[in-house]
Amino acid sequence: MRKNVIKLIHVARRKLGLDDETYRTMIGSIVPGKSSCRDMNIQELEKVLKALEGKGFSRTSARSDKRRTSRPSDISAKIRVIWRFMHIDGFVIDGSDVALDRWVQRITSQKNGGEGVASVAWLRGDMVIAVLESLKQWHLRVMRETMTERGIMMPVSPVNGRELRDYDSVRSAFIAARARGKQ
């Protein structure tokens, strides 16, 4: 506990831009007779920390509330969008990033010898492509099943009249059917 408070005081010192002389003078004015954290007990350290907070330092945890700090790749962004679509369409109950990350970990553990990737943000290379394609195939399958159950015609090619089976065509037909009130 004491070491953590000392670390926090030193972080505050750096964030507030205090030079060594100013810092030690300030400590001496808060806790008379002392100019170093090393010589203080926990109560004195807490007093110093409160004084630094009064000067504008704010405690923030090392872990942010945001799950990702890096900018997502285009492919991982597509994965998130499809996951959201599946939630909106009622195919997944939980549309959160946490639920997506659990699914990604399960899928990647099957493809990665039992060791799954814990977050979409950490997917790289062939693995991110494989996860995107798995999600698209799952979404495609459940959209087609729903359309068949409800008697909605599958999209057809205007050129040859054959049924279109690609993700974008089926997704567009699914959205159009929902807009017409067939969903």
Side-chain angles (χ1 to χ4, degrees), residues 100-151:
L100 174 58
D101 287 343
R102 282 193 306 259
W103 180 80
V104 164
Q105 188 166 20
R106 192 174 74 247
I107 291 299
T108 55
S109 70
Q110 294 168 2
K111 298 176 189 281
N112 203 25
E115 196 64 35
V117 178
S119 175
V120 171
W122 299 342
L123 291 170
R124 297 290 181 263
D126 291 344
M127 190 66 75
V128 72
I129 301 290
V131 168
L132 174 63
E133 291 307 316
S134 292
L135 187 60
K136 282 171 61 176
Q137 288 303 313
W138 176 25
H139 194 202
L140 185 60
R141 186 183 76 248
V142 293
M143 284 189 296
R144 290 176 59 85
E145 287 171 0
T146 301
M147 291 171 75
T148 301
E149 287 170 7
R150 300 200 174 144

Side-chain angles (χ1 to χ4, degrees), residues 16 19 30 63 74 76 91 99 138-139 145 157 164 167 170 179:
L16 293 172
D19 62 68
I30 297 166
R63 287 182 69 153
D74 289 343
S76 65
F91 301 130
W138 176 25
H139 194 202
E145 287 171 0
S157 169
L164 297 171
Y167 179 80
V170 174

Side-chain angles (χ1 to χ4, degrees), residues 51-113:
L52 290 167
E53 287 173 342
K55 295 191 178 297
F57 173 69
S58 62
R59 297 183 198 201
T60 57
S61 66
R63 287 182 69 153
S64 173
D65 286 343
K66 294 181 179 178
R67 293 190 40 79
R68 271 187 3 268
T69 56
S70 63
R71 186 178 164 275
S73 71
D74 289 343
I75 297 171
S76 65
K78 285 180 187 178
I79 292 169
R80 289 179 198 289
V81 167
I82 292 171
W83 186 260
R84 299 288 186 277
F85 284 160
M86 290 184 74
H87 175 66
I88 291 166
D89 295 341
F91 301 130
V92 293
I93 296 168
D94 186 351
S96 70
D97 284 348
V98 173
L100 174 58
D101 287 343
R102 282 193 306 259
W103 180 80
V104 164
Q105 188 166 20
R106 192 174 74 247
I107 291 299
T108 55
S109 70
Q110 294 168 2
K111 298 176 189 281
N112 203 25

